[in-house]
């Protein structure tokens, strides 16, 4: 799925891992991603988390889409930050699933949490376009 995700790839998002309900993706904050407050625009943080979420929930095989998601911003990301989003499946029931994603900034002293994201997934039948 990620191989065909032009939106995520055009922002420089890299998929580091995706298997069995888990995925890890990373992205560096560029000049074009910074808003008028000189911090990363929340939409880009959401997109990074959503990409990791999508890869985790599609790691089981059937075509799966987002049924809903929310994000809590813990602190700001800044120009040049390397962000890592780690998605983990919490549960699957029927055609539905719940996934948590932590977005953190890698620093010399460890990792600072930037945002927490919760996504709800739904398995769908592939529709021919």
């Amino acid at each position: 799925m990620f191989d065909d995700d032009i939106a995520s790839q055009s922002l420089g998002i890299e998929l580091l891992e995706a298997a069995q309900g888990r995925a890890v993706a990373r992205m560096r904050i560029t000049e074009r991603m910074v808003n008028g407050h000189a911090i990363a625009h929340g939409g880009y943080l959401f997109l990074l988390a959503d990409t990791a979420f999508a890869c985790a929930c599609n790691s089981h095989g059937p075509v799966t889409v987002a049924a809903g998601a929310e994000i809590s911003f813990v602190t700001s990301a800044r120009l040049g930050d390397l962000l890592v989003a780690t998605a983990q499946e919490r549960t699957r029931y029927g055609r539905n699933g719940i996934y948590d994603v932590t977005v953190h900034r890698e620093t010399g002293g460890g990792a600072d949490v930037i945002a927490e994201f919760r996504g709800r997934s739904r398995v769908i039948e592939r529709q021919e376009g």
Side-chain angles (χ1 to χ4, degrees):
M1 183 207 72
F2 185 78
D3 291 342
D4 294 327
D5 186 346
I6 296 169
S8 295
Q9 290 181 29
S10 70
L11 293 173
I13 294 176
E14 300 171 271
L15 180 62
L16 305 178
E17 174 187 333
Q20 300 304 312
R22 177 178 158 80
V24 180
R26 74 177 169 198
M27 174 182 78
R28 186 165 304 275
I29 299 299
T30 67
E31 214 171 67
R32 290 183 164 209
M33 298 174 182
V34 177
N35 66 21
H37 297 294
I39 59 176
H41 189 290
Y44 290 106
L45 302 178
F46 188 96
L47 191 140
L48 173 61
D50 187 52
T51 298
F53 161 56
C55 292
C57 65
N58 277 279
S59 67
H60 295 291
V63 175
T64 306
V65 297
E70 63 181 50
I71 193 166
S72 296
F73 300 110
V74 176
T75 193
S76 301
R78 305 211 175 269
L79 178 64
D81 283 350
L82 181 61
L83 303 182
V84 176
T86 303
Q88 182 65 52
E89 180 180 283
R90 293 298 171 223
T91 189
R92 283 192 303 156
Y93 53 102
R95 293 172 42 201
N96 304 293
I98 298 174
Y99 293 77
D100 287 336
V101 183
T102 298
V103 177
H104 73 271
R105 169 181 34 234
E106 294 193 335
T107 67
D112 296 334
V113 174
I114 301 295
E116 292 288 347
F117 171 107
R118 173 157 277 191
R120 297 178 315 280
S121 66
R122 179 83 173 169
V123 173
I124 62 169
E125 293 182 29
R126 182 179 294 276
Q127 298 177 352
E128 299 301 322

